[in-house]
Amino acid sequence: MPQATVERIIRTLAADDMQGRATGKPGSVKAAEFLAAEFQRIGLEPLPGLQNFMQTFPAYEARTAAAFVSINGAKVAPDKMLLISGQPHLNWTEADEPAPRVVTVGPQDNLMKEIRPLLDPKENTIVFIDPVQAAAFNRVTSYVKRGGLRPEKPAPFTTLLILAPPAATPLKFQVAATTTIRTVELRNVVGVLPGKDAARATEQVVFSGHYDHLGFLPAVAGDSIANGADDDASGTTAVVALAEYFKKKNDNARPLVFVAFTAEEIGGFGARHFSRQLDPQNVVAMFNIEMIGKQAKFGPNTAFITGFERSDFGKMLQANARGSVFRFEPDPYPEQNLFYRSDNATLARLGVPAHTISTDQIPTDKKYHSVDDEVESLDLANMTAVITAIGRAAAGIISGQQTPTRIAPETVKQ
């Protein structure tokens, strides 16, 4: 695996002109176009059913402007309330049916845990939040007012958050607001290297990473761009480099699918959409690659595999790397729940042996989700070694000689 190729790709993805690759923003579109051009250059084919390498799907941005809120005749100050609604024109009172559900968040409650489901309203709800929670309430307000994207079109329901003790009953209220709902086109970038064995034409092996990042953050020393070099330009670079590696080898029995996901940072929307476009029973394995730009805690020429105990995928890679200088290890940070924090999780829940390969020492990584996640902070020689090791260790799986055991599927909503 030429280090020059690795460096060219990651420097392009993590450059300032990509503006941090925030989902749905111009920098993200530019990154997707670059990746599609790389797949074209390498000679991949579009995923069956697509006309090109862009797998597009909608997301939705809802911005609510509250004109007036009163509780029991007293107007609520704008900085003491937050309104989230999927109704374009809202005129809401206690006389409307059905009556809203009323929730109280006390001083000792975990605010985010209590209200997270309510940020995408599925019923009309009024939440009274103890004033002790003011700091957490302000963080939620700031997050919502940035206009976060959601995967489904907002339902015609409303959540009203009020930073105040519970109001006296019977509750009387009046709410007037307008909501603007905007559709945003998102795109995964997907390329396919068809398999050489017709008998294995449906046995797909997926190599993935996410190309989105955080965009702009509060400036530090004049720098406000979260370049996301390690997270996850490094993994996306690996996907492109592996596509070129396997294309040149030209001996894969099974079809290989290379995908750069969008929207991992805001909820894994890209992986969720991708999983709906294929039959998970046909996916033999998923090599998801996330944050491989720095040396692992095990030293150089090592990487770890999340969810190691859930299938024999990791043991296969260990066996295939035996005799080389490289080692694959189980995830050393089980308390971080990394198995469910990357794009492998969606397909893993559907039974696919889908695991993430990483090197990041996440408990002590001070550059994670910061403006300092720059290419200059990475060990490109070690990163190239990781990518090379993945390519070599995957040989038995892509040749059809090895098939990892399935992960026990979960009965959860995707």
Side-chain angles (χ1 to χ4, degrees), residues 130-354:
D130 191 282
V132 170
Q133 301 266 15
F137 173 80
N138 290 336
R139 287 194 296 272
V140 173
T141 298
S142 176
Y143 167 76
V144 171
K145 289 186 175 179
R146 287 200 298 269
L149 296 173
R150 59 186 74 180
E152 309 293 341
K153 190 172 183 178
F157 299 104
T158 299
T159 293
L160 173 60
L161 306 178
I162 302 172
L163 188 65
T169 56
L171 180 65
K172 295 184 179 296
F173 61 91
Q174 183 177 359
V175 181
T178 58
T179 297
T180 302
I181 299 173
R182 183 171 73 97
T183 303
V184 180
E185 184 180 79
L186 304 186
R187 48 189 64 76
N188 294 325
V189 188
V190 190
V192 177
L193 187 59
K196 309 303 178 187
D197 184 349
R200 298 186 179 278
T202 62
E203 299 177 6
Q204 299 166 317
V205 181
V206 175
F207 293 86
S208 64
H210 71 90
Y211 72 89
D212 65 297
H213 197 52
L214 305 178
F216 293 95
L217 293 174
V220 176
D223 182 8
S224 62
I225 300 174
N227 299 79
D230 200 15
D231 184 15
D232 186 31
S234 66
T236 308
T237 295
V239 171
V240 176
L242 288 166
E244 187 161 15
Y245 171 78
F246 289 123
K247 174 66 175 177
K248 288 178 178 178
K249 283 182 67 66
N250 198 33
D251 62 358
N252 55 296
R254 286 168 164 155
L256 310 183
V257 181
F258 301 92
V259 54
F261 291 121
T262 188
E264 189 268 358
E265 297 286 3
I266 62 171
F269 303 166
R272 198 175 312 159
H273 178 77
F274 175 78
S275 73
R276 292 169 178 163
Q277 312 313 307
L278 45 76
D279 183 349
Q281 292 298 320
N282 291 339
V283 182
V284 171
M286 180 187 200
F287 293 73
N288 188 56
I289 307 168
E290 169 105 34
M291 302 181 71
I292 57 167
K294 301 166 187 172
Q295 290 188 15
K297 70 174 293 184
F298 307 104
N301 291 305
T302 65
F304 64 83
I305 298 170
T306 66
F308 192 91
E309 72 289 352
R310 294 171 185 265
S311 79
D312 59 2
F313 172 94
K315 291 180 180 178
M316 283 182 180
L317 267 58
Q318 284 182 327
N320 295 345
R322 203 163 289 140
S324 74
V325 298
F326 202 91
R327 299 195 326 275
F328 290 98
E329 300 284 356
D331 177 5
Y333 312 113
E335 74 283 354
Q336 292 284 336
N337 201 29
L338 298 178
F339 184 71
Y340 288 108
R341 285 173 57 183
S342 194
D343 285 316
N344 66 289
T346 298
L347 280 172
R349 287 185 170 114
L350 297 174
V352 176

Side-chain angles (χ1 to χ4, degrees), residues 17-227:
D17 64 1
M18 292 293 182
Q19 300 178 331
R21 308 186 308 279
T23 300
K25 301 299 183 182
S28 176
V29 175
K30 187 173 183 177
E33 291 172 346
F34 166 73
L35 291 165
E38 287 294 294
F39 286 176
Q40 180 72 42
R41 175 187 65 80
I42 291 166
L44 300 185
E45 298 180 7
L47 189 71
L50 297 181
Q51 298 301 310
N52 53 46
F53 298 113
M54 298 294 191
Q55 185 182 61
T56 60
F57 61 98
Y60 302 90
E61 180 185 73
R63 292 183 179 273
T64 299
F68 180 82
V69 176
S70 72
I71 299 293
N72 290 343
K75 183 178 179 180
V76 180
D79 63 340
K80 302 297 183 185
M81 60 89 172
L82 176 64
L83 196 65
I84 304 160
S85 182
Q87 297 175 269
H89 303 285
L90 181 65
N91 288 288
W92 184 28
T93 73
E94 72 281 353
D96 295 324
E97 295 289 345
R101 183 163 70 99
V102 178
V103 176
T104 299
V105 178
Q108 304 303 321
D109 292 333
N110 183 322
L111 178 63
M112 276 307 302
K113 181 179 179 181
E114 296 292 332
I115 69 169
R116 186 176 285 112
L118 306 178
L119 299 182
D120 186 11
K122 296 295 187 290
E123 62 177 330
N124 292 328
T125 309
I126 297 176
V127 184
F128 291 97
I129 301 170
D130 191 282
V132 170
Q133 301 266 15
F137 173 80
N138 290 336
R139 287 194 296 272
V140 173
T141 298
S142 176
Y143 167 76
V144 171
K145 289 186 175 179
R146 287 200 298 269
L149 296 173
R150 59 186 74 180
E152 309 293 341
K153 190 172 183 178
F157 299 104
T158 299
T159 293
L160 173 60
L161 306 178
I162 302 172
L163 188 65
T169 56
L171 180 65
K172 295 184 179 296
F173 61 91
Q174 183 177 359
V175 181
T178 58
T179 297
T180 302
I181 299 173
R182 183 171 73 97
T183 303
V184 180
E185 184 180 79
L186 304 186
R187 48 189 64 76
N188 294 325
V189 188
V190 190
V192 177
L193 187 59
K196 309 303 178 187
D197 184 349
R200 298 186 179 278
T202 62
E203 299 177 6
Q204 299 166 317
V205 181
V206 175
F207 293 86
S208 64
H210 71 90
Y211 72 89
D212 65 297
H213 197 52
L214 305 178
F216 293 95
L217 293 174
V220 176
D223 182 8
S224 62
I225 300 174
N227 299 79

Side-chain angles (χ1 to χ4, degrees), residues 327-412:
R327 299 195 326 275
F328 290 98
E329 300 284 356
D331 177 5
Y333 312 113
E335 74 283 354
Q336 292 284 336
N337 201 29
L338 298 178
F339 184 71
Y340 288 108
R341 285 173 57 183
S342 194
D343 285 316
N344 66 289
T346 298
L347 280 172
R349 287 185 170 114
L350 297 174
V352 176
H355 300 262
T356 293
I357 299 170
S358 182
T359 64
D360 189 53
Q361 300 187 46
I362 196 162
T364 57
D365 185 353
K366 303 301 183 184
K367 299 185 188 299
Y368 175 68
H369 280 194
S370 79
V371 297
D372 294 325
D373 184 4
E374 306 262 10
V375 173
E376 288 69 26
S377 70
L378 306 185
D379 183 338
L380 295 182
N382 190 71
M383 177 178 157
T384 303
V386 173
I387 299 170
T388 301
I390 294 171
R392 291 173 177 169
I397 294 174
I398 70 169
S399 70
Q401 296 175 353
Q402 295 177 315
T403 301
T405 54
R406 307 288 290 180
I407 288 176
E410 300 178 18
T411 54
V412 295

